[in-house]
Amino acid sequence: MKPFGSSKRNQKESGELKSYGDILADLIGKPSIPSGTEEYPLLPLRELVIFPQTVMSVYITYKSGIKALEEALGKDMRLFAAPLKTPEGASNPHLIETYDSGTVVRVIQNLRLPDNTFRVVLQGEYRALIASTSQKADTRLVKVTPLQAAVPQTDDNAIAEDELAAQQITALIGAVHKSFAQYAEYSKKISTEIISTVERTDSAEKLANIVGNILAIKPERKVELIRIADPIARLEKLLETIELENEILGIQKTISGKVKNRIDKNQREFILNEQLREIHKELGKNAVDDEFSEIEETIRARKPSDEVLEKARKEIGRLRKLQTFSPEAGVLRGYLEWIADLPWSEYSPDSTDLAAAEQILNDDHFGMKKAKERIIEFIAVRQLSALDRSVESNTVAQMQEDTALDENARVPEPAAPQLGSFSIKGPILCFVGAPGTGKTSLGKSVARSLGRKFVRISLGGVRDEAEIRGHRKTYVGALPGKIIQSMRKAGTMNPVILLDEIDKLAHDFRGDPASALLEVLDPEQNSTFTDHYLEVPYDLSKVLFITTANYLDGIPFPLLDRMEIIEIPGYGENEKLAIAQKYLVPKELSENGLSRAAITFKEQTIREIIRHWTLESGVRSLEREIARCIRRIARNAVNKEYGVNADKPIESYKKTINVSDLEKLLGRRKYKNDVVFKEARSGVTYGLAWAETGGTVLPVESTSFSGGGECTITGNLGEVMKESARIALSFLRSVRDRYAFLVKDIGKTDFHIHVPEGAIPKDGPSAGITLASSLLSTLCRTEPKAGIAMTGELTLTGRILPIGGLKEKLLAAIRNGMNEVILPEDNREDVQELDEDIKKALTMHFVSAAPEAFAILFGEGILVQKKRARGRAAKR
């Protein structure tokens, strides 16, 4: 079924069809509506709704519609037209499902076409609801109940209500007329004949039918207008529908207008620019002050090198020849904007006040002696370089004055002083330490002490070389790399750039960013660093690069070789206490609104938090736990109306946090001491390990039993630690003649080595001496000395090699109640740099070979000669 209009072509084809306006003119007054239930053939309509008092021309091309029409033509020419809920039901009789409301229509004209389909003109008579359905051959018959307003009452109250309703209807009709006029203006598809008909209609029923038929809305929304019987409610729904359509059409018109205006403006600008260009060409003014000249002047004002300036002029010349809207023009504009925005000769003056710089570093950070000394050294060297430059300039000036009378004398011109452009190249510092030790914030303090701009670049997870060197500008959306972007952000040639987490760089098929950093971090090469996007050299030699890392193992050696390593060790308990009192507690009080309150943390309280609620080398967890305490205190203060009630200012709130308050504020303790036996046990020794969270004591347990000489190693150990266990066992087998083993045949004995807390991965070679001591204790059935821990890598010949993370390991020994430690001889100098409280808390034994460590642990009683001597003495 296809609707068709009343065009001249349709009138010609039908011969008898009247126009829509002519038929509307024939409809006078309301149609005759039966009072009872009538039965009609059901005419399902596909995406079409017919209203009463309207005429519609349609094609009927499907079987169910043709049968219904034939049934109506044989009777009184009337059908019940209802829209289908699904369009597929028109072609499948089993899927016919219509809405329960529709319109009784009369067939005015019909024309059978050669393909046995019909073209008919239907006139809507009255609205109705389906009461029941029945089937007659291939035709579905429905009994319908007319939809009409209630009959007016005759009593006085009812008459008054009818008069009020009539006034409402009159007002609604006027509103519908106004809204429909606006709709017709937006739509531009409604003829003046129909608009005039609507304006002359003053009947609520007729107006709702005509307007509802014209509105371009979905069939289900038209069905809603059909099924409403009350005229007031129906007009209100109609008015709501028209207003909604007006709002949508108005928005569409606004958007279309904006798009059209934008296009017109761009076309106008393009035409005017072309005309202006031709005018200037005719006048012979090629060096006009147009936008291209402005770009060139901006770049020249930056004082770049001649190579950069020549490249910019070349690209500007290409841009002049391109149309404004061409994609290549956009690429060139973006490129020139980057050239113009980058600093090429701007420097920020370096601070040369050593005392002020040292004060800034001490105010911002506690400890970090090596790092602070290196920064002060750098500032001192810069100061001397500036002095040398000044002396050189004065010397040249004196030579010019002395030879002023000699016209042939040639004296070198003094170099123009440039702040920050001294001959010394920017060093590459690498801060290495555990998380939370203040590496990143130290970089900010360095920039502040030098008076330079600071930019941070996070390298964690970067795996694309283009992130460093940029993309070539021929690619869509190309940009310079992070280095050049940071230089634009800084706005000077000598900023401090922090390359954070350089050990977290990755690489894949897109390239190796660590290799791209080789040129950036080489003072001999970075003066001509070339970004793929810029395609011209850029000087990075005046930049102070600072990198941070948690481990050196993740940094490729060629990159590591270009950096000066400064270790940031973890903090001891006393250092954490000082940091908490000086920095963390005031900071958290300020951030949580209690800076004016009298809140005090006792020293022992902070120590308890450090020992039992944190386990780290840095202070991040400590800061979080202190913040938790202060938030709980802030909550209690508000509950007691401090700071809320005018009679209780926050300054009057006082609170001292004691050790007994911690479980209420922070909950149960998170960490306890490591797995350490108070008494000595055979086969159990204690190593010292280092992890990101700090140092820890590593118990090692071993046992032996008859077997085939196998060695089982458990405890989630890495390959390096397993190799250390096998080396320890091989070493003990090689010295079996020296020690009094109680195992008869070590080659036929199985060993099981276990490191507790198997859920935690463990690896590294520094447990070699600990593993060997545990196995020796098992073989000799001798208990090691209690309260002693050790660390050191063991070689196959019994040498003990130095280890790292010494400070963290010693702090772990102190925390777990150890009295003595065995350390490699090569670490003796490292101990001299430790705090005095650490050195006083432990007795340190330095050994270079395993027998020395065994003598400290077991004494001389495990040696073969001593055993024999004791045996002979017993016999006497």
Side-chain angles (χ1 to χ4, degrees), residues 350-355 376-390 422 424 450:
D350 278 347
S351 172
T352 55
D353 189 342
L354 294 182
I376 298 301
E377 291 170 2
F378 175 74
I379 298 175
V381 173
R382 302 288 288 188
Q383 188 173 3
L384 291 177
S385 299
L387 182 62
D388 289 345
R389 179 64 60 88
S390 176
F422 307 132
I424 183 173
L450 290 172

Side-chain angles (χ1 to χ4, degrees), residues 523-705:
E524 300 299 328
Q525 300 180 29
N526 60 13
S527 60
T528 56
F529 171 72
T530 302
D531 187 274
H532 288 161
Y533 183 85
L534 292 184
E535 299 176 343
V536 290
Y538 192 86
D539 186 7
L540 298 176
S541 61
K542 307 302 186 300
V543 178
L544 173 57
F545 286 103
I546 297 177
T547 65
T548 68
N550 299 131
Y551 300 102
L552 294 179
D553 299 340
I555 306 175
F557 178 76
L559 187 59
L560 188 64
D561 186 55
R562 286 163 166 78
M563 298 185 290
E564 181 179 344
I565 307 301
I566 298 178
E567 292 188 0
I568 309 294
Y571 298 115
E573 184 175 299
N574 291 336
E575 290 174 314
K576 290 183 179 180
L577 175 63
I579 292 171
Q581 291 176 331
K582 186 176 180 180
Y583 301 100
L584 303 183
V585 172
K587 175 186 174 184
E588 294 302 326
L589 287 173
S590 176
E591 290 184 355
N592 291 279
L594 291 176
S595 58
R596 293 176 294 160
I599 307 297
T600 306
F601 279 81
K602 285 193 172 181
E603 179 178 315
Q604 189 58 32
T605 303
I606 297 177
R607 289 186 184 273
E608 284 293 309
I609 296 175
I610 294 170
R611 292 170 183 171
H612 302 295
W613 275 272
T614 66
L615 183 62
E616 58 175 352
S617 297
V619 292
R620 281 186 185 147
S621 294
L622 178 59
E623 183 177 3
R624 282 194 291 268
E625 298 303 325
I626 290 175
R628 285 179 60 196
C629 287
I630 294 175
R631 288 196 298 270
R632 293 287 179 88
I633 294 169
R635 177 181 174 182
N636 294 335
V638 173
N639 288 337
K640 295 178 181 179
E641 295 187 352
Y642 283 95
V644 180
N645 192 334
D647 297 334
K648 292 183 176 182
I650 194 64
E651 290 83 358
S652 63
Y653 184 72
K654 298 180 180 180
K655 175 69 176 177
T656 300
I657 296 92
N658 300 307
V659 175
S660 57
D661 298 326
L662 288 180
E663 289 201 4
K664 296 179 182 178
L665 296 172
L666 300 177
R668 298 178 60 185
R669 293 180 176 181
K670 291 183 178 180
Y671 304 105
K672 298 181 180 179
N673 290 342
D674 296 305
V675 185
V676 176
F677 293 114
K678 299 300 181 184
E679 70 282 356
R681 295 195 178 191
S682 176
V684 179
T685 56
Y686 299 99
L688 296 173
W690 180 87
E692 286 190 3
T693 55
T696 181
V697 169
L698 197 70
V700 176
E701 303 172 350
S702 63
T703 185
S704 63
F705 41 87

Side-chain angles (χ1 to χ4, degrees), residues 32 100 175 534 618 687 767:
S32 174
D100 61 351
L534 292 184

Side-chain angles (χ1 to χ4, degrees), residues 796-823:
L796 197 57
T797 57
R799 294 172 56 213
I800 298 180
L801 303 182
I803 47 85
L806 179 62
K807 182 178 180 180
E808 286 79 5
K809 292 179 179 181
L810 295 181
L811 290 172
I814 296 172
R815 186 170 62 246
N816 287 275
M818 296 293 179
N819 303 317
E820 302 176 52
V821 290
I822 297 175
L823 304 174

Side-chain angles (χ1 to χ4, degrees), residues 506-517:
H507 66 275
D508 58 9
F509 64 92
R510 287 170 288 190
D512 185 2
S515 300
L517 281 174

Side-chain angles (χ1 to χ4, degrees), residues 649-795:
I650 194 64
E651 290 83 358
S652 63
Y653 184 72
K654 298 180 180 180
K655 175 69 176 177
T656 300
I657 296 92
N658 300 307
V659 175
S660 57
D661 298 326
L662 288 180
E663 289 201 4
K664 296 179 182 178
L665 296 172
L666 300 177
R668 298 178 60 185
R669 293 180 176 181
K670 291 183 178 180
Y671 304 105
K672 298 181 180 179
N673 290 342
D674 296 305
V675 185
V676 176
F677 293 114
K678 299 300 181 184
E679 70 282 356
R681 295 195 178 191
S682 176
V684 179
T685 56
Y686 299 99
L688 296 173
W690 180 87
E692 286 190 3
T693 55
T696 181
V697 169
L698 197 70
V700 176
E701 303 172 350
S702 63
T703 185
S704 63
F705 41 87
S706 299
E710 295 182 358
C711 181
T712 303
I713 306 171
T714 57
N716 197 358
L717 308 183
E719 289 299 323
V720 175
M721 199 165 179
K722 290 179 180 178
E723 289 177 1
S724 298
R726 289 191 285 268
I727 290 171
L729 183 57
S730 297
F731 170 72
L732 292 176
R733 284 174 175 170
S734 68
V735 296
R736 60 182 177 274
D737 296 334
R738 182 184 303 176
Y739 297 100
F741 293 166
L742 297 182
V743 176
K744 294 181 179 180
D745 189 353
I746 194 173
K748 295 183 179 180
T749 302
D750 287 348
F751 295 91
H752 189 161
I753 302 173
H754 177 65
V755 182
E757 296 183 344
I760 301 174
K762 311 169 191 71
D763 202 4
S766 63
I769 185 61
T770 311
L771 293 164
S773 301
S774 177
L775 288 170
L776 183 61
S777 176
T778 299
L779 289 168
C780 297
R781 300 290 191 269
T782 302
E783 298 172 354
K785 185 178 179 181
I788 189 167
M790 67 205 77
T791 181
E793 180 180 354
L794 180 68
T795 69

